[in-house]
Amino acid sequence: MHLQLRKADLTGLAGRNTARLALSTDVPASILAEVTGTSVHNATPWATLAKRDWTAYIATRREPNA
C-alpha cells in the first residue's frame, strides 16, 4: 500500500496532516492533542487553521451543573 500511495504522491505526513485538520474541526485543541499524542501547544495551531472557535464550548463545560 505504501508504494501505491507514493505513486500517487501521497505521503504519510500528508495523510496525518489531513486527518489532524479534519479532526480539529470536530474537537477542541486539548482533545486533539490527547488523541494524536501531541502537545496542546502543537494542537492549537491546527485548531486555529480549522477556524473553529471552541470558547463557547469551554465556557459551558466550566459552568456548574444545576
Side-chain angles (χ1 to χ4, degrees), residues 2 6 18 26 32 36 42:
H2 176 69
R6 291 208 48 192
T18 301
D26 294 330
L32 177 65
T36 59
N42 184 8

Side-chain angles (χ1 to χ4, degrees), residues 17-59:
N17 288 346
T18 301
R20 281 188 183 132
L21 183 59
L23 186 57
S24 67
T25 63
D26 294 330
V27 297
S30 59
I31 295 174
L32 177 65
E34 187 173 328
V35 169
T36 59
T38 62
S39 67
V40 173
H41 180 75
N42 184 8
T44 301
W46 287 103
T48 303
L49 184 62
K51 305 235 186 282
R52 185 76 186 253
D53 185 11
W54 288 98
T55 53
Y57 169 79
I58 294 168

